[in-house]
Amino acid sequence: MASFAISTPLRVALANVRANGSSPRNRTAALRPRAALGVGQRLGTTQSAASTPFGGCGRRLRARVLRSGDNATRDITTMMGFCNVPKPAGLYDPAMDKDACGVGFIADTSNRDTRKTVHDALGMLVRMTHRGACGCEVNTGDGAGILLSLPHEFFWRVAAKEAGIQNLPSPGNYAVGMFFMPVDLALRERVRLSVEATALSLGMPVLGWRRVPVNNASLGDSAKATEPIIEQVFFEENDDNENMRFELQCYVLRKIISADVDKMMGIPRNTKNTEFYACSLSSKTIVYKGQLMPAQVSEYFLDLQHDLFATHLALVHSRFSTNTFPSWDRAQPMRVLGHNGEINTLRGNKNWFKAREGMMKCVQMGLDEKTLKRFLPIVDETTSDSGAFDACLELLIHCGRSLPEAMMMLIPEAWQSDDQMDDKRRAFYEYSSALVEPWDGPALVTFTDGDGIGATLDRNGLRPGRYYVTKGGVVVMASEVGVVDIKPEDIKEKGRLRPGNIFYVDLKNGRVLPDMEMKQEICGKRRYRQWIDRQKVTLEDIVKADAEAGGPLPSAPCVDSKRVGMDKLLAPMRAAGYTVESLDMLLAPMLASGSDPLGSMGNDAPLAVISERPKLVYEYFKQLFAQVTNPPIDPIREAIVTSLKCMIGPEGDFSTTKEAQVHRLSLETPLLDIPEMEAIKRTSHRDWKTYTVDATFPVAEGRAGLSKALERLREEADAAVKEGYSLVVLSDRKMCAERVAIPSLLAVGTTHAHLVATMQRTHLGLLVESADAREVHHFCTLVGYGADGICPYLAIEALCTLQEDGRTGAKTFSRPELVQRYFKASGDGMLKVMAKMGISTLASYKGAQIFECLGLHDDVVTQCFPGTASRIMGVKMDMLAMDSFKMHQTAFPTRLFPEGSPEDTALPNPGDYHYRSGEDKEVHMNDPRAIAFLQEAVRSNDQSAWNNYSNLTRELTEQVALRGMLKFKETRSVDIDQVESAADIVKRFTTGAMSYGSISLEAHSTLARAMNQIGGRSNTGEGGEEPRRLAAQEDGSRNPERSAIKQVASGRFGVTSHYLTNADEIQIKMAQGAKPGEGGELPGHKVIGRIAATRKATEGVGLISPPPHHDIYSIEDLAQLIYDLKNTNPAANVSVKLVSEAGVGGIASGV
């Protein structure tokens, strides 16, 4: 059972959302739910014949198919092709699907093809069944498969005859494709003709087709309903193509076959083909996979049972999809890898590779421009994270990199902060960082190209991997030990994979290559350090080369020179949405403490889309978090694996390895001081030049001016690319009484998205000079949507002025020290945010869009933030423009205020954090009036006061939360006699999980007493519970202060056996709900006396719950914890607390 941190408005079809609010702004008028499924409606229902590309051949209502080599028949009803994953609907989005898997391989270093290798590999797969999953049907799996070296003896003696091939070429001179084909005979024939025509055009004629014999008797109905016809195709090598090795010919052939079949079937680019899929096409390896349970693989594929089917390498994979829609094509292994884990930065990785297609020439592959266009895209938008990674790894291999080298580029070690790493390795990784960003996330990746086989772990080592090497030369690697029986006396070597290390078996030379030896060879092939020293551009180089460096810095726009102190910055700060709290609660504490300030007890202010006050665009975005299927990381204890360092500026051709590739600007942090930004804007260093785009628009154009301005930004970015500029700066410094600043996040989002879509993003660097960016969340969203660098010039000037006014504490700093301190606090905050999603490097985080929108219309999302989850609709561009105008009007009012009045001399103070009374102030759920009514009602048992409290709270909820906008539908009444009594209903009541320490002992124990008295349940929260409250009373009855629900966040937060055995329910806290991601931070000064003793903590040391480095690395670990807790207290229920975020439904189904 999974309980959620907030109520469930987003899981409900919001059919009754208030359409017309009382506010003149009426933000909520645009809110609407996504299309929801009606009762009884099925996901993926049958299309009419007229709606299919072939007038009915794409969907089968009824058919009977005889399998070759097997007498079994099957019925196909309402067929959907081999993929039954529906399109996004309601709250479902297949992009949110997550995987957790078991992987492994066996290889014989002597290259002996044996049946034993096949048998042991299939046994390994079965022994990792617990790492895979099945659906509600125990005989329908999430996917399993095996990748093997081509079994030539079997193909020569058996398969070739079935395919009608008289003389099968010798090994290495023919290739085999393993294809999922349409069930419809007419369509299948058309696909065959298309494949043969493509192969002939590339000089690789088809030798024959073979139906792969299968036995589907053990499959569940779901798997049978989408079961494809599986066929093998034999191709002959093109001997005339001397410039292209055979494996490269196979790769190009497979890519173009897929593109040509899609075209023949009328399937648009980046739309999933559910009728045809190439599992593999190679002269060295072949993949047998499907929507199967591990034990079904050998039962289903009859080839694997044949005595002549032998191999010297086998890579297996068992899939655990934490969603309810597995499919045949999503099963693994892929073409070159098996992947256990998640790619947290997938959206960014896909976008960057799409952008790189505009620079790719693929000279190493010998492709002409026409063939290259047929060959693209590299990454299919509809594929899984594993499929996308597989596609990029394949490309690197076929562009001339070795398999281990390609893995080092995509999943590098944590090199930036490792002082012990040798310089050659460091230089290789630094060079590679100029070509490609890391694919970040917890991962154990096994890989093979037929000549070698290996495995690697992510830089954090957050997936298990163990290996054995026998004296007979057999190598076994898997997610766990015990998957293959090996006698102890036969073991030559055993060990585990370490973070960032590669375990690699060189099958050509018959040996296991030590990680260090292999990497030294790769890193020593080229003079990477010399290339970097000659080509890399640093920020210091640009500043030193600036002829005007040291001159006066530009002041903020529209500064009032007649005023002094903070008063002179009032106009630009008002226009940028600054408030008194922005200075006193955010900026000043960052300078005083050198760290990102923390709040407490959550945020009770309205969502941006509901608020009556103008809001910055940043406030419509909520960050996503790692939970269950992958872990967050600890940016403090694991600082060595984190980095804000990044290469920016024009990239070269990703498919080549040249010195010029590293001619990029290296930034230690994305935050830039004003002198640095000015030097960048003026630079001509080493032929770099910068184009500055005015990110403002005329007041006279009104609200429509914002959309026009965004279009102009896109056009000017195009022009900058065409004219050869290296950098583009989006600057709002021209903001004045006549010009309104474009919200920085809109400017960055639309420019980056446009350049990605037009495959131009890698031609230049994108920086933003912003007045409205000032805090960690702002910086994270800007980088997350593509900004390479940020100059928060107004925040810097405000900090300097705050210090001049004596508002930043007793200690003073020089200007460089002040900026450095602000940037350090902001950078640490950014690392913390990244770490909550399990992301280690800024290079991976940039453009990864690790956010969801809450309250933006699809028109805005499509134009500026494509690919971002947006569960409800919301404000359109004109409403965002109106907010910008409102803030602009406070800075440049049409009516002058009396000199010296608060309106003339102070920033607005609407009370975004602290409650403020009066007009134009922010609403808060914790309203003093409501609290007063509640106190009066409780103290005097006053029904009237209670009614006042109830009514006011209801009104406040409507103004603050989405759930307050839900209305009851009018329906038929129910007889009161059929309704449970109030006494029975309240037994289902539970309190929020508020820990002892976050609230007082009196409040904590009173909540427990109240719940016990009415028969409900109180929740301890993560802070433990005093042992005296667990002890029974003298008469043997339960202690009235005992909480029924005991929360488990970490072993060090008061969790003992005594604590667990005194629970009716144990709640595992995976992530913080009230303050998502921050965790229940208890400041050190509160960790004292009985609070510290109850939590089993050290006095004075601050606590975060759950800890950033959680004990739960995967869903397997969660299953183990649930098992352990049930053993501790078999009578207790176990629940899991998750953060309510986009995609949580998929995670919850896995739980």
Side-chain angles (χ1 to χ4, degrees):
M1 167 174 96
S3 56
F4 296 91
I6 63 175
S7 61
T8 56
L10 299 184
R11 294 192 297 123
V12 179
L14 300 178
N16 295 308
V17 170
R18 180 177 59 193
N20 296 293
S22 57
S23 158
R25 305 184 68 226
N26 195 17
R27 287 178 181 272
T28 56
L31 281 176
R32 68 150 176 78
R34 294 289 177 200
L37 293 173
V39 176
Q41 182 179 352
R42 293 179 58 191
L43 290 173
T45 52
T46 307
Q47 295 182 3
S48 66
S51 67
T52 66
F54 299 99
C57 6
R59 298 290 180 265
R60 282 76 59 194
L61 295 181
R62 195 82 175 167
R64 293 176 66 83
V65 179
L66 180 65
R67 291 298 196 183
S68 170
D70 171 359
N71 293 323
T73 63
R74 67 170 181 161
D75 289 336
I76 296 94
T77 305
T78 320
M79 285 295 295
M80 294 295 297
F82 54 75
C83 176
N84 200 23
V85 179
K87 295 179 180 179
L91 299 184
Y92 173 74
D93 186 345
M96 296 295 173
D97 293 350
K98 308 292 182 183
D99 291 345
C101 319
V103 294
F105 68 76
I106 301 176
D108 190 325
T109 56
S110 66
N111 290 312
R112 293 169 299 183
D113 289 340
T114 65
R115 279 293 300 161
K116 186 176 188 307
T117 301
V118 178
H119 178 269
D120 286 349
L122 292 171
M124 171 192 288
L125 186 59
V126 171
R127 292 188 184 186
M128 290 192 292
T129 298
H130 59 284
R131 288 187 171 271
C134 61
C136 56
E137 303 166 346
V138 295
N139 55 353
T140 296
D142 278 4
I146 182 169
L147 182 157
L148 314 104
S149 59
L150 285 189
H152 177 69
E153 187 76 9
F154 171 79
F155 283 150
W156 178 47
R157 294 185 180 275
V158 178
K161 293 180 181 178
E162 293 178 1
I165 302 172
Q166 297 298 322
N167 295 302
L168 187 69
S170 59
N173 293 308
Y174 70 94
V176 182
M178 189 80 157
F179 293 168
F180 289 161
M181 300 284 284
V183 172
D184 181 84
L185 182 60
L187 179 57
R188 188 163 70 252
E189 188 59 33
R190 294 180 67 175
V191 170
R192 284 179 175 174
L193 292 173
S194 176
V195 170
E196 291 178 2
T198 301
L200 193 61
S201 71
L202 296 177
M204 297 176 65
V206 170
L207 297 172
W209 292 79
R210 172 183 181 253
R211 177 80 68 84
V212 176
V214 300
N215 178 4
N216 66 4
S218 65
L219 270 59
D221 291 341
S222 299
K224 286 180 180 178
T226 55
E227 182 186 6
I229 299 293
I230 304 175
E231 295 191 348
Q232 287 170 349
V233 195
F234 293 78
F235 299 93
E236 189 174 3
E237 181 180 10
N238 182 356
D239 293 327
D240 296 333
N241 193 343
E242 298 178 355
N243 297 323
M244 192 180 290
R245 53 192 172 79
F246 193 21
E247 271 301 281
L248 178 54
Q249 292 179 30
C250 294
Y251 172 61
V252 172
L253 175 62
R254 194 196 77 231
K255 294 284 289 185
I256 296 180
I257 281 176
S258 297
D260 287 354
V261 169
D262 285 353
K263 183 178 179 181
M264 181 272 294
M265 294 177 65
I267 297 173
R269 174 173 168 164
N270 284 325
T271 301
K272 193 174 191 68
N273 188 335
T274 61
E275 303 286 353
F276 175 81
Y277 174 79
C279 302
S280 62
L281 199 169
S282 170
S283 64
K284 298 178 180 179
T285 60
I286 190 167
V287 173
Y288 287 78
K289 69 175 184 178
Q291 191 178 329
L292 309 167
M293 297 286 290
Q296 292 172 339
V297 174
S298 60
E299 298 172 6
Y300 181 77
F301 291 109
L302 302 183
D303 286 356
L304 300 177
Q305 302 173 22
H306 201 286
D307 290 340
L308 292 176
F309 197 103
T311 185
H312 62 271
L313 71 83
L315 190 156
V316 299
H317 187 280
S318 172
R319 185 170 187 257
F320 188 157
S321 167
T322 56
N323 63 82
T324 54
F325 299 104
S327 65
W328 284 76
D329 62 312
R330 288 188 177 191
Q332 295 188 42
M334 310 306 288
R335 284 91 183 208
V336 293
L337 64 78
H339 174 220
N340 173 24
E342 291 184 35
I343 305 297
N344 293 330
T345 55
L346 181 63
R347 171 50 54 190
N349 295 129
K350 282 186 174 182
N351 282 346
W352 287 115
F353 266 82
K354 180 179 180 180
R356 290 183 182 112
E357 290 177 8
M359 298 284 284
M360 268 182 25
K361 304 300 180 187
C362 293
V363 176
Q364 297 278 351
M365 296 168 63
L367 301 180
D368 57 43
E369 188 174 344
K370 183 178 178 181
T371 306
L372 183 59
K373 285 183 178 179
R374 294 171 69 194
F375 179 84
L376 298 176
I378 298 302
V379 179
D380 181 358
E381 274 294 317
T382 65
T383 192
S384 65
D385 58 348
S386 303
F389 186 84
D390 181 78
C392 296
L393 180 60
E394 268 195 304
L395 176 68
L396 282 171
I397 295 168
H398 292 298
C399 285
R401 278 94 172 186
S402 68
L403 186 53
E405 180 182 355
M407 290 304 306
M408 289 172 67
M409 293 174 68
L410 296 177
I411 306 181
E413 295 178 78
W415 60 274
Q416 292 95 332
S417 303
D418 187 355
D419 296 332
Q420 304 302 313
M421 183 176 290
D422 63 273
D423 188 62
K424 282 188 176 181
R425 257 194 307 161
R426 180 186 294 277
F428 171 84
Y429 286 126
E430 186 172 3
Y431 173 84
S432 298
S433 71
L435 273 67
V436 61
E437 70 291 337
W439 290 60
D440 210 349
L444 166 62
V445 180
T446 53
F447 49 85
T448 182
D449 59 0
D451 293 329
I453 191 167
T456 188
L457 286 185
D458 63 275
R459 62 169 54 202
N460 300 295
L462 296 178
R463 285 292 184 267
R466 300 272 180 173
Y467 66 86
Y468 288 84
V469 181
T470 71
K471 294 175 182 176
V474 175
V475 180
V476 178
M477 200 295 306
S479 296
E480 56 193 60
V481 296
V483 292
V484 176
D485 294 327
I486 303 174
K487 295 179 180 179
E489 59 268 23
D490 291 339
I491 297 173
K492 176 183 177 182
E493 178 188 349
K494 63 180 178 179
R496 65 180 178 88
L497 272 66
R498 299 181 181 276
N501 281 12
I502 294 178
F503 177 71
Y504 186 68
V505 184
D506 180 358
L507 294 172
K508 278 190 171 181
N509 296 303
R511 60 187 292 254
V512 176
L513 287 180
D515 176 78
M516 190 58 65
E517 177 187 334
M518 178 189 59
K519 288 179 178 175
Q520 284 178 345
E521 180 182 345
I522 291 170
C523 299
K525 285 195 302 184
R526 299 178 180 90
R527 299 178 178 180
Y528 292 112
R529 177 55 62 199
Q530 292 183 21
W531 289 4
I532 292 168
D533 291 342
R534 287 198 294 259
Q535 296 292 339
K536 185 177 75 172
V537 180
T538 66
L539 196 54
E540 186 180 27
D541 295 336
I542 289 179
V543 173
K544 283 182 178 179
D546 182 18
E548 299 179 39
L553 296 176
S555 61
C558 43
V559 168
D560 190 343
S561 58
K562 297 177 182 178
R563 301 190 179 199
V564 295
M566 193 58 70
D567 288 358
K568 67 185 178 184
L569 294 176
L570 284 177
M573 291 178 71
R574 285 171 174 169
Y578 276 72
T579 66
V580 170
E581 290 177 333
S582 300
L583 299 179
D584 294 343
M585 298 183 67
L586 297 176
L587 291 183
M590 291 177 85
L591 189 57
S593 66
S595 61
D596 185 25
L598 295 174
S600 63
M601 298 311 292
N603 184 4
D604 66 343
L607 295 170
V609 68
I610 300 175
S611 176
E612 302 293 336
R613 299 195 64 259
K615 294 291 182 180
L616 298 173
V617 178
Y618 308 111
E619 297 181 52
Y620 289 88
F621 290 81
K622 307 297 179 184
Q623 69 181 70
L624 302 178
F625 310 98
Q627 50 181 340
V628 181
T629 54
N630 66 352
I633 58 177
D634 187 338
I636 299 173
R637 295 178 183 85
E638 296 180 284
I640 193 170
V641 304
T642 63
S643 174
L644 293 175
K645 188 173 182 178
C646 201
M647 291 272 200
I648 76 166
E651 292 186 17
D653 181 355
F654 169 78
S655 64
T656 63
T657 304
K658 296 181 179 179
E659 179 177 336
Q661 303 281 64
V662 78
H663 186 58
R664 303 189 70 198
L665 173 58
S666 178
L667 297 180
E668 296 296 323
T669 169
L671 302 177
L672 302 170
D673 195 1
I674 297 172
E676 295 168 339
M677 180 56 85
E678 289 302 308
I680 286 173
K681 289 195 293 185
R682 292 190 293 255
T683 192
S684 59
H685 179 62
R686 299 183 68 171
D687 296 326
W688 278 44
K689 55 181 181 176
T690 303
Y691 185 90
T692 302
V693 181
D694 176 20
T696 66
F697 64 96
V699 172
E701 292 185 357
R703 292 193 210 173
L706 178 56
S707 292
K708 292 179 182 178
L710 293 175
E711 178 62 29
R712 175 175 54 81
L713 293 187
R714 295 190 288 268
E715 290 173 356
E716 292 196 46
D718 285 338
V721 172
K722 289 181 175 65
E723 294 172 24
Y725 283 91
S726 306
L727 301 168
V728 164
V729 175
L730 306 175
S731 175
D732 60 17
R733 276 192 177 273
K734 290 188 178 180
M735 173 179 61
C736 61
E738 292 77 30
R739 297 191 70 83
V740 183
I742 300 172
S744 295
L745 188 54
L746 290 181
V748 167
T750 195
T751 306
H752 173 76
H754 171 71
L755 291 174
V756 168
T758 55
M759 296 185 288
Q760 299 180 104
R761 180 62 180 87
T762 56
H763 288 69
L764 47 73
L766 181 62
L767 301 100
V768 58
E769 191 174 33
S770 169
D772 62 19
R774 51 187 175 267
E775 55 185 89
V776 169
H777 179 64
H778 300 172
F779 302 147
C780 287
T781 49
L782 287 170
V783 172
Y785 286 98
D788 288 315
I790 308 161
C791 177
Y793 66 89
L794 189 54
I796 294 171
E797 292 201 35
L799 276 170
C800 293
T801 308
L802 278 173
Q803 180 169 271
E804 292 171 7
D805 291 352
R807 296 168 58 183
T808 58
K811 191 173 182 180
T812 59
F813 304 94
S814 66
R815 190 193 178 285
E817 289 173 336
L818 179 147
V819 174
Q820 192 276 334
R821 195 170 177 85
Y822 171 50
F823 283 3
K824 176 67 165 59
S826 300
D828 288 347
M830 293 178 72
L831 287 173
K832 184 170 73 169
V833 171
M834 290 159 49
K836 292 167 192 172
M837 192 57 205
I839 296 173
S840 305
T841 67
L842 188 85
S844 299
Y845 187 78
K846 188 196 304 179
Q849 304 179 195
I850 313 293
F851 298 90
E852 62 177 314
C853 297
L854 200 58
L856 289 181
H857 194 276
D858 277 357
D859 292 346
V860 178
V861 175
T862 301
Q863 186 177 156
C864 300
F865 316 109
T868 301
S870 182
R871 290 298 185 236
I872 57 175
M873 293 284 270
V875 301
K876 294 187 176 182
M877 200 66 78
D878 65 332
M879 185 67 72
L880 297 177
M882 187 173 76
D883 280 355
S884 295
F885 270 100
K886 282 195 171 185
M887 288 184 277
H888 188 267
Q889 288 163 5
T890 63
F892 308 102
T894 54
R895 178 176 60 88
L896 294 178
F897 296 107
E899 190 172 343
S901 65
E903 294 84 355
D904 179 57
T905 60
L907 288 172
N909 190 10
D912 291 320
Y913 299 101
H914 289 164
Y915 176 85
R916 294 285 183 272
S917 60
E919 294 183 6
D920 199 30
K921 304 300 181 184
E922 193 56 274
V923 180
H924 288 266
M925 276 294 295
N926 295 318
D927 188 293
R929 295 171 298 160
I931 294 171
F933 284 138
L934 177 61
Q935 291 173 336
E936 181 183 352
V938 172
R939 286 169 179 163
S940 58
N941 198 26
D942 186 334
Q943 182 65 43
S944 175
W946 173 259
N947 291 339
N948 290 335
Y949 165 73
S950 178
N951 292 333
L952 180 55
T953 300
R954 189 177 299 111
E955 291 175 13
L956 292 169
T957 304
E958 290 179 0
Q959 298 175 63
V960 170
L962 284 177
R963 66 177 181 273
M965 302 171 66
L966 295 174
K967 304 295 180 184
F968 286 107
K969 289 182 177 179
E970 290 189 10
T971 183
R972 65 182 182 83
S973 60
V974 177
D975 193 315
I976 193 67
D977 293 334
Q978 298 179 26
V979 180
E980 291 182 86
S981 66
D984 288 331
I985 292 174
V986 297
K987 290 178 181 178
R988 297 192 182 90
F989 284 15
T990 62
T991 66
M994 296 175 286
S995 65
Y996 171 39
S998 68
I999 59 176
S1000 67
L1001 178 62
E1002 292 81 4
H1004 200 265
S1005 57
T1006 299
L1007 287 170
R1009 280 183 174 274
M1011 287 295 104
N1012 287 330
Q1013 187 170 328
I1014 67 173
R1017 294 182 173 188
S1018 62
N1019 192 320
T1020 60
E1022 80 281 2
E1025 194 162 67
E1026 284 190 307
R1028 67 170 184 80
R1029 293 171 58 183
L1030 306 178
Q1033 298 193 102
E1034 292 183 1
D1035 62 359
S1037 62
R1038 277 188 175 179
N1039 193 314
E1041 294 185 0
R1042 169 189 177 274
S1043 295
I1045 304 174
K1046 300 292 193 294
Q1047 198 172 77
V1048 176
S1050 173
R1052 67 173 188 263
F1053 287 103
V1055 179
T1056 64
S1057 294
H1058 187 45
Y1059 173 80
L1060 295 174
T1061 53
N1062 279 277
D1064 299 332
E1065 179 181 325
I1066 300 172
Q1067 183 179 87
I1068 301 170
K1069 183 179 182 180
M1070 288 303 306
Q1072 179 73 19
K1075 302 183 291 297
E1078 286 294 342
E1081 297 207 18
L1082 194 65
H1085 65 270
K1086 287 189 175 183
V1087 186
I1088 56 174
R1090 293 162 69 182
I1091 295 173
T1094 301
R1095 289 176 175 253
K1096 312 298 181 188
T1098 304
E1099 289 197 38
V1101 176
L1103 302 174
I1104 304 175
S1105 174
H1109 192 109
H1110 209 286
D1111 298 329
I1112 305 300
Y1113 296 146
S1114 66
I1115 201 159
E1116 298 98 332
D1117 293 336
L1118 178 61
Q1120 181 66 49
L1121 178 57
I1122 293 171
Y1123 177 79
D1124 292 342
L1125 292 175
K1126 292 294 287 185
N1127 279 331
T1128 302
N1129 187 346
N1133 292 324
V1134 177
S1135 64
V1136 179
K1137 180 180 181 182
L1138 305 172
V1139 170
S1140 185
E1141 63 175 349
V1144 72
I1147 296 171
S1149 67
V1151 171

